[in-house]
Amino acid sequence: MNPSGESTRASIGSLLHDAPTEPVYRRVSAYLRQEITSGTLSGGMRLPAERTLADLLQVSRISVRRALRELAEAGLIAPSTSRGWFVSELGLFERANALMSFSELGRSRGLEPSSRVLSQKVRPADLNEADELEIAPGSPLLDLERLRFLDGLEIALHQVRVPVDRAPGIEQTDFSSASVFEVLEDYHGIIPTRARWVIEGRPADERSARLLGLQPAAPLLLVSSTTTDQHDRPFELSRIDYRADRYRFQATIVRFNTTLVASS
């Protein structure tokens, strides 16, 4: 990458024209990935600041930030101890746990995500939903339920609830192909940043079993979550019933060091 500009602008311009149907952040991610794997950006090299990258590549900072997050999830870059990002020494970094949409999770593993919309409606938020989302009871809520597939195989039943006032017009989106996270980030400036998860096992009821191609009472892994944005404001309630034989949750657990805290 040439920080002075001309060759970079030419390269990214070509990239934008080569894949006009791809989201901008994914084209930026592909460009930077190529720079890293080719050795132009070598291991240990510090990346330019987000604002600088946005100016050089002639894209928005939101697109740059999302591209950088995708590269970090792939283990190609890592956060600096001060600020910004540096290029990883390839092959030495374990992929970190990260907040990803179902679509992003599938694509990161080379699988093609798809969905069948079972229900999509706007309804008033009940008291519990209003409390979780910090909105007034009765506020309009997009209630979306989909059957989720990876490479054509049934993986999960997914219910999402989003306040319509946070994303006007979202109820008109065709979510058989669109990602809720991508729509919120690309068109409404809502960046998914943190999620509080509760995970539990449960047997499949008759409806869930039929939709997921299981026998009644087969094991499901239920993941309930509340997701907040870059301002720590909740914007989504999610419930996913995964087929237990096709989904595994992996986490890194860190012991809290009370000695270090007490001595600091």
Side-chain angles (χ1 to χ4, degrees):
M1 176 179 294
N2 178 7
S4 63
E6 293 308 318
S7 62
T8 297
R9 289 189 177 91
S11 298
I12 197 65
S14 174
L15 183 64
L16 293 173
H17 288 299
D18 287 345
T21 60
E22 281 288 300
V24 172
Y25 82 90
R26 193 158 289 142
R27 283 173 264 165
V28 172
S29 175
Y31 172 79
L32 293 174
R33 183 186 297 263
Q34 180 180 343
E35 294 286 283
I36 292 169
T37 55
S38 68
T40 303
L41 293 173
S42 57
M45 182 180 292
R46 189 186 182 103
L47 292 178
E50 285 182 9
R51 184 185 300 277
T52 303
L53 281 171
D55 290 343
L56 287 172
L57 306 181
Q58 299 180 322
V59 297
S60 71
R61 289 185 68 182
I62 289 178
S63 294
V64 168
R65 187 174 301 123
R66 188 163 185 180
L68 293 173
R69 190 168 71 230
E70 186 171 88
L71 293 173
E73 289 165 358
L76 293 174
I77 62 174
S80 167
T81 54
S82 52
R83 292 186 65 184
W85 298 88
F86 66 88
V87 180
S88 302
E89 299 289 347
L90 296 182
L92 298 180
F93 286 78
E94 181 180 353
R95 182 187 178 94
N97 292 316
L99 175 59
M100 304 174 73
S101 71
F102 182 90
S103 298
E104 290 170 324
L105 180 66
R107 293 190 191 106
S108 73
R109 286 154 175 75
L111 304 172
E112 183 59 35
S114 58
S115 303
R116 187 208 309 169
V117 175
L118 302 174
S119 174
Q120 183 170 337
K121 61 187 177 184
V122 175
R123 61 168 178 80
D126 64 28
L127 288 174
N128 289 333
E129 292 165 337
D131 184 55
E132 285 288 328
L133 292 167
E134 300 177 5
I135 57 177
S139 297
L141 204 65
L142 170 66
D143 189 334
L144 171 68
E145 185 184 28
R146 292 176 289 178
L147 181 60
R148 311 304 301 268
F149 302 85
L150 292 176
D151 281 358
L153 295 176
E154 303 95 338
I155 302 296
L157 282 173
H158 191 184
Q159 182 193 25
V160 172
R161 286 150 291 165
V162 177
V164 173
D165 291 345
R166 295 289 311 276
I170 191 173
E171 71 277 10
Q172 304 299 324
T173 304
D174 178 8
F175 283 110
S176 62
S177 56
S179 161
V180 172
F181 274 17
E182 290 177 4
V183 169
L184 289 171
E185 186 162 353
D186 293 345
Y187 297 102
H188 301 283
I190 298 173
I191 302 174
T193 304
R194 187 188 303 270
R196 183 178 70 251
W197 280 30
V198 176
I199 304 174
E200 58 186 298
R202 77 173 186 90
D205 59 26
E206 186 175 337
R207 178 177 181 265
S208 298
R210 173 172 49 82
L211 289 169
L212 290 169
L214 295 168
Q215 293 296 318
L220 297 177
L221 192 61
L222 169 60
V223 178
S224 302
S225 64
T226 302
T227 310
T228 57
D229 63 14
Q230 69 271 33
H231 305 297
D232 205 30
R233 183 179 177 187
F235 68 87
E236 181 215 46
L237 300 178
S238 173
R239 173 195 168 114
I240 309 182
D241 284 301
Y242 287 102
R243 282 186 54 146
D245 61 339
R246 293 179 179 171
Y247 177 80
R248 177 181 298 170
F249 176 72
Q250 178 176 315
T252 300
I253 307 299
V254 179
R255 183 177 176 86
F256 186 70
N257 192 324
T258 54
T259 302
L260 288 178
V261 172
S263 63
S264 62

